[in-house]
Amino acid sequence: MSLQPDRIEQAQPDVPLDIYTSQVDSLYSESRTLLFGSVAISVATLISALKAGEFLFFAIAWLIIAVAIGRVWDFRNYLRSRPQLVTYEHFHRWERRYVIGASATVALLGAWCFAAFAWTHDPFVRVFSMSITLAYLIGITGRNFGSARLVLVQIMCAGIPISAGLLTVGDGYYMA
C-alpha cells in the first residue's frame, strides 16, 4: 500500500521517530489502569441507572464495558505487533486506533452526562455523572498528554455533550 505524499506528511509529527515511538508506547503501557478505570466508570453508570431508573444508563454501562474489552484486546495486539513497528506511519496508525478507543469511552461518558441533565431531574445523578466524567478526564489527559490529538478529541467528546446537557436544563446558571 503506497501513501500519497500529503498523507506521509500527516503521519510524521514534528518530533524525532524515537520520541514519537516513546509517546505511542506510553499510550499502550498500562492496560491495568484502563481496565480498572473502565470498571469504575461502568459501576458509577450502573449506580446512576439504579438511582434514576434510566434504562439508557444501563446501556451506556454495558457499552463502556464492551469498549474496554475491545481496547484491552487492542493493547495486546499492539504489544504483539510492537517489534515490527519501525516507521512513523506504523506508530501513527496505532496512535489513531488508541484515539478512537479512548474517544469512544469518553463519548459514552459525555452521553451519560447529557442524559443525566436532559432526561432526569435527580440532582445526585447530575452531580455524580459530571463528577465522574471530569475525574476521568483529568486522569486521562494527565496520562495521555503526549498525544495532543488524543487530548483534544477527548475534550470534545465529553465537552460537547456535557455543554448540550447543561443547556437543556434551561436555567441561566447551568447555561453559564
Side-chain angles (χ1 to χ4, degrees), residues 33-112:
T33 59
L34 163 73
L35 199 53
F36 179 75
S38 297
V39 168
I41 60 176
S42 297
V43 168
T45 309
L46 287 171
I47 289 169
S48 70
L50 292 171
K51 175 80 168 79
E54 265 305 317
F55 174 78
L56 178 60
F57 297 159
F58 286 108
I60 290 171
W62 289 110
L63 286 170
I64 289 169
I65 291 168
V67 169
I69 291 168
R71 291 184 68 204
V72 168
W73 178 77
D74 206 42
F75 270 56
R76 291 175 191 230
N77 285 335
Y78 178 79
L79 294 176
R80 265 186 252 141
S81 301
R82 179 59 180 90
Q84 290 81 36
L85 306 179
V86 294
T87 67
Y88 277 107
E89 180 187 274
H90 291 145
F91 287 101
H92 182 72
R93 192 174 311 132
W94 281 98
E95 180 188 20
R96 190 174 333 123
R97 288 172 69 139
Y98 187 92
V99 168
I100 291 167
S103 298
T105 300
V106 174
L108 288 166
L109 289 172
W112 176 39

Side-chain angles (χ1 to χ4, degrees), residues 95-151:
E95 180 188 20
R96 190 174 333 123
R97 288 172 69 139
Y98 187 92
V99 168
I100 291 167
S103 298
T105 300
V106 174
L108 288 166
L109 289 172
W112 176 39
C113 284
F114 174 81
F117 284 90
W119 284 302
T120 74
H121 296 286
D122 188 315
F124 168 78
V125 172
R126 288 176 169 182
V127 170
F128 192 54
S129 68
M130 181 76 78
S131 300
I132 296 297
T133 300
L134 291 177
Y136 192 82
L137 280 173
I138 291 166
I140 57 173
T141 53
R143 186 169 108 53
N144 299 323
F145 71 92
S147 174
R149 177 184 307 112
L150 175 61
V151 172

